[in-house]
Amino acid sequence: MAKDVVLSLAGIDRHYGQGETVLSILKGADFTLRTGETVALVAPSGTGKSTLLHVAGLLEHPDGGEVTVGGVACQELGDEQRTAIRRKSIGFVYQFHHLLPEFSALENVMMPQLIAGLTKPEAAERAKQLLDYMRVGHRADHRPAELSGGEQQRVAIARAVANAPLVLLADEPTGNLDPETASYVFSALEALVRQSGLSAMIATHNHDIARRMDRCVTLVDGKVVELVV
């Protein structure tokens, strides 16, 4: 694998069900993500976007093929090893923010850092910096229910990158937002990715957002195909 490839999927198969009801979602899918690259994943619902992201993020085991993250082949690793790689090297953003409701914005961004072993002062300092960068620093002490949808997603993005991962995977991160808010949130996400040198694969139905990324891919018959937009 080339040195600048941070994520590689090779010959990925993924199916669900048993017997005659088997549904094949991914069929020998190949994909590579390079350092600092942003890739849009644009495909209709039901074609396997979320499955591809879950396999890439080590949340699901593929039925065949190999996932390599940061040069580490993951197919034969145990759950603890996969979890360690996921915590260290992969950040996730979902359509729904999944923030912990009983904690403030600051505490939500601190949480993954504390799990990784940072002290509270260290975690709080980085969390403040990230929230300020995402322009929600003034809402640091507010709980998720007290934040707007756009603010919730910006906090979720800050949390996803709190441990400085190699790869950011986002599944329709602006899908629940109105067009103006979606554009604002994506601009903040894009700036963060570009400034930090993160690599990102972002599933989106928004073609305006997709065109702002380095390249676009889709899923056709269970395989990843390059798109020209």
Side-chain angles (χ1 to χ4, degrees), residues 180-220:
E180 183 177 352
T181 303
S183 179
Y184 183 83
V185 169
F186 182 77
S187 293
L189 172 59
E190 183 182 29
L192 181 62
V193 168
R194 301 292 187 192
Q195 287 291 325
S196 63
L198 260 174
S199 305
M201 178 162 64
I202 301 173
T204 180
H205 283 107
N206 189 319
H207 287 267
D208 290 332
I209 286 176
R211 279 190 286 268
R212 291 162 64 175
M213 292 188 243
D214 295 327
R215 60 188 176 98
C216 296
V217 299
T218 189
L219 285 164
V220 179

Side-chain angles (χ1 to χ4, degrees), residues 1 11 13 18 34 44 75 97-98 109 112 115 125 154 157 168 173 179 190 208-209 220:
M1 189 172 72
D13 297 322
Q18 295 180 343
R34 298 182 180 277
Q75 182 66 359
H97 58 79
H98 293 296
V109 181
I115 293 172
E125 180 61 28
R154 281 181 277 159
I157 292 166
L168 180 68
E190 183 182 29
D208 290 332
I209 286 176
V220 179

Side-chain angles (χ1 to χ4, degrees), residues 91-105:
F92 293 91
V93 182
Y94 297 97
Q95 185 170 348
F96 185 71
H97 58 79
H98 293 296
L99 297 172
L100 298 172
E102 66 271 30
F103 294 104
S104 68

